[in-house]
Amino acid sequence: MNYQHPTHLQAAILDWAGTVVDFGSFAPTQIFVEAFAEFGVTVSLEEARGPMGMGKWDHIRTLCDIPAIAERYRAAFGRLPTDEDVTAIYERFMPLQIEKIALHSALIPGALEAIASLRGKGLRIGSCSGYPAAVMAKVVELAQENGYVADHVVATDEVPNGRPHPAQALANVIALGVSDVAACVKVDDTWPGILEGRSAGMWTVALTCSGNALGLTWEQFKALPAGKLDQERARIAQQFEGARPHYLIDTIADLPKVIDDINARLKRGEMPQGV
């Protein structure tokens, strides 16, 4: 039997914060700031955003490895942060995140309409996140109350390796019964999430304005002057360059037209791995 490449997309695998919910991705970033503060260590919101997209323990480990933050930790405790210290911060992060996740649970404008459009084109909706399962359960519950239900959800601690490894995306492929990874598109607002999709052999779409990279509320985004917004798009595109997304769009509201373009490319015989 000969290999037959797919001619249309079968599934979209969507991130959560900054992609479908929580415009600006404030829920995880703000809690990192608060969790470190409880240990007497100052971390700015900008610093907290740097490793966004990773699993939360790995995110904290990465922050602790930043020289400036490591020195602040040394000033507070007389030593550089160990893995045990990272775990202690993570264990404080978790209840804070669960407690406050509802403050940033609103769906991103246009998300429901875009997802309905994808379903109308025959796509199933998978999802994954840097959130662990305990937090993800609350995120899913709140999203359901707002009208969004994914076909499958994979938390970062439900696979051996979180993003940028491909395990979460591939777990969705298996659960959704997708016949070929090239028939999937991964949509995310962070570079680890785009690398996840790339490593899984999928089409990838990076969101420039709704998530971590821009870091603004919906109202602030809409109020940006056109020239400033263009500058921000260019800056964010440069941040994503190394992850090599196939597409860059502002928000999930722009996704349906990308799906049409990918389907046209698949019909022409193009594959994500070759681009």
Side-chain angles (χ1 to χ4, degrees):
M1 180 178 289
N2 296 327
Y3 173 72
Q4 294 184 335
H5 68 77
T7 57
H8 62 277
L9 288 169
Q10 299 173 24
I13 300 170
L14 309 178
D15 178 49
W16 285 83
T19 298
V20 176
V21 300
D22 186 11
F23 198 102
S25 195
F26 285 95
T29 49
Q30 184 59 43
I31 303 306
F32 284 123
V33 172
E34 294 182 22
F36 273 87
E38 293 202 4
F39 287 80
V41 179
T42 300
V43 173
S44 71
L45 192 60
E46 183 179 359
E47 287 172 328
R49 287 188 180 279
M52 191 57 62
M54 293 180 173
K56 302 314 177 192
W57 191 96
D58 292 330
H59 188 131
I60 294 169
R61 177 71 270 177
T62 301
L63 288 175
C64 286
D65 289 338
I66 295 173
I69 296 175
E71 282 305 314
R72 289 174 218 153
Y73 198 95
R74 188 205 296 270
F77 292 95
R79 67 177 189 279
L80 294 176
T82 65
D83 282 355
E84 288 75 19
D85 297 322
V86 170
T87 298
I89 298 170
Y90 175 81
E91 289 175 348
R92 184 62 195 120
F93 167 88
M94 284 288 288
L96 279 172
Q97 185 74 94
I98 295 170
E99 174 189 344
K100 299 190 177 184
I101 196 73
L103 297 176
H104 305 282
S105 62
L107 293 174
I108 286 172
L112 286 182
E113 295 82 357
I115 292 166
S117 175
L118 268 57
R119 291 191 184 280
K121 299 175 191 296
L123 277 71
R124 301 198 70 192
I125 306 299
S127 69
C128 55
S129 172
Y131 284 133
V135 177
M136 201 66 251
K138 187 64 176 177
V139 174
V140 169
E141 175 189 337
L142 293 166
Q144 185 172 359
E145 292 174 3
N146 290 324
Y148 171 54
V149 179
D151 294 316
H152 191 63
V153 180
V154 181
T156 190
D157 56 351
E158 294 178 323
V159 294
N161 300 104
R163 301 183 301 201
H165 296 276
Q168 286 178 273
L170 295 176
N172 275 278
V173 168
I174 295 167
L176 298 175
V178 175
S179 65
D180 194 310
V181 291
C184 289
V185 57
K186 176 69 203 303
V187 185
D188 208 289
D189 67 301
T190 67
W191 62 263
I194 297 301
L195 285 176
E196 170 197 16
R198 269 291 190 176
S199 298
M202 300 175 178
W203 298 93
T204 55
V205 180
L207 304 176
T208 58
C209 295
S210 64
N212 182 67
L214 186 60
L216 299 180
T217 66
W218 167 255
E219 292 76 17
Q220 290 169 333
F221 161 62
K222 296 302 289 183
L224 276 182
K228 177 63 174 175
L229 183 55
D230 286 341
Q231 290 176 7
E232 289 295 283
R233 288 190 183 111
R235 175 185 65 82
I236 293 165
Q238 190 171 30
Q239 287 184 3
F240 275 119
E241 189 174 352
R244 295 178 56 215
H246 295 89
Y247 297 86
L248 291 159
I249 59 176
D250 283 357
T251 79
I252 193 173
D254 304 312
L255 185 58
K257 61 187 177 185
V258 171
I259 300 304
D260 291 339
D261 192 68
I262 294 174
N263 279 335
R265 294 173 72 173
L266 284 170
K267 288 177 182 176
R268 293 195 299 267
E270 293 185 47
M271 298 284 275
Q273 299 94 329
V275 184

